[in-house]
Amino acid sequence: MRIAMGVEYDGSDFLGWQRLGHGMTVQGVMEQAISRVAAHQVQVTCAGRTDAGVHGVCQVVHFDAEVQRQPRAWVLGTCSHLPREVVALWAKPVSGEFHARFSACSRRYRYRILNRPVRAALHARYLTWERLPLDSTLMHDAAQRLLGENDFSAFRAASCQAAHARRCVLAIDVRRDGDQVIMDIEANAFLHHMVRNIVGALLPIGRGERPPEWMTELLTGRCRDKAGPTAPARGLSFLGPRYASHWGLPAEVSQ
């Protein structure tokens, strides 16, 4: 039996999603918890791996179980064996053809910047701080130049293992909400550090150090060395993937 599960986590104290031979990872604690409920060893596959310090609002995983449990039992049982930074949100039986990664039509991220003269005391684990004023309108204008299918080599980490750098950005929005500047982005898939590198390029535009047209220069130039520095991980949250409605998953991850 294949089960799809929604997962929420604070990534601050994890070494990222992917299981490692050392240190705590989200995949590692998820597999330990679900295996306790299933009474056999379980491996989980996620929709999109996140780096150390990156949070998950609704990560989606799938796993195969040799036993039958009610969805409520999978959720409550898994949560009872997880550290407080991770919870299972929901569970649903799916067909064996469903794959958390390959069945996803798109993925969505949010990056939040606290833009005020002093740093955060509350919610500091989930915000990046920029003390200089940011023009979110200029940042939004620049971000629209990334829409569509492009080669995102300028925003790709040197350690990225993807076969190619072409990705399709479906939507991107930069807006101000009080003293926060928020970027939402949706794409068919993302390169390693792609979102954080885009934010790193938007910040000098928001500070007025570069014009919005600079984003086009970076994109067409395909040179990582000429773009801005990688933005910190703590401001980034994986909102979740989207799947076709025929999989019958909750509305928050369905098209």
Side-chain angles (χ1 to χ4, degrees):
M1 172 180 290
R2 179 157 292 185
I3 303 294
M5 180 177 282
V7 185
E8 176 185 288
Y9 53 90
D10 178 336
S12 302
D13 299 325
F14 290 90
L15 298 180
W17 168 267
Q18 189 171 7
R19 183 194 324 109
L20 299 172
H22 65 282
M24 187 170 64
T25 68
V26 185
Q27 182 182 18
V29 299
M30 285 296 302
E31 289 180 342
Q32 290 174 9
I34 296 172
S35 295
R36 295 281 297 274
V37 181
H40 66 84
Q41 190 63 42
V42 167
Q43 292 187 348
V44 302
T45 299
C46 72
R49 292 181 296 180
T50 51
D51 291 332
V54 178
H55 316 293
V57 175
C58 190
Q59 173 74 268
V60 174
V61 305
H62 81 258
F63 59 91
D64 294 322
E66 299 170 3
V67 296
Q68 290 192 354
R69 302 276 189 269
Q70 292 298 315
R72 176 180 170 84
W74 283 118
V75 171
L76 297 183
T78 299
C79 286
S80 70
H81 297 296
L82 286 170
R84 62 183 181 85
E85 297 87 357
V86 188
V87 296
L89 298 170
W90 48 261
K92 181 173 176 55
V94 289
S95 82
E97 297 177 352
F98 176 82
H99 193 284
R101 177 184 175 190
F102 297 125
S103 298
C105 302
S106 65
R107 293 155 180 83
R108 296 163 294 143
Y109 281 89
R110 173 169 293 163
Y111 199 94
R112 297 200 299 159
I113 305 163
L114 179 66
N115 188 211
R116 70 184 190 189
V118 295
R119 61 178 173 80
L122 297 175
H123 312 299
R125 291 159 67 98
Y126 315 111
L127 295 164
T128 292
W129 173 45
E130 172 58 57
R131 64 180 181 81
L132 297 177
L134 295 173
D135 187 327
S136 59
T137 301
L138 288 179
M139 295 170 71
H140 179 78
D141 181 12
Q144 302 316 296
R145 299 157 196 264
L146 303 177
L147 288 170
E149 183 174 328
N150 293 287
D151 184 319
F152 284 90
S153 294
F155 307 100
R156 177 182 189 174
S159 58
C160 183
Q161 298 178 353
H164 61 84
R166 296 199 70 83
R167 296 292 186 270
C168 184
V169 173
L170 304 170
I172 185 167
D173 174 73
V174 183
R175 65 189 184 279
R176 178 173 287 279
D177 183 4
D179 57 9
Q180 290 187 31
V181 173
I182 301 168
M183 184 189 81
D184 285 341
I185 183 169
E186 180 175 1
N188 63 337
F190 289 88
L191 301 165
H192 192 204
H193 287 175
M194 179 173 158
V195 179
R196 291 164 59 191
N197 288 336
I198 288 173
V199 174
L202 287 173
L203 284 171
I205 294 172
R207 292 191 295 260
E209 299 165 4
R210 297 279 190 172
E213 293 77 17
W214 186 55
M215 189 64 79
T216 303
E217 294 178 22
L218 295 176
L219 184 65
T220 57
R222 303 178 184 177
C223 180
R224 176 72 196 107
D225 293 340
K226 294 183 179 179
T230 304
R234 63 181 175 273
L236 183 60
S237 295
F238 180 43
L239 297 181
R242 290 191 192 276
Y243 298 97
S245 59
H246 68 79
W247 294 115
L249 296 180
E252 60 188 327
V253 294
S254 296
Q255 292 186 327

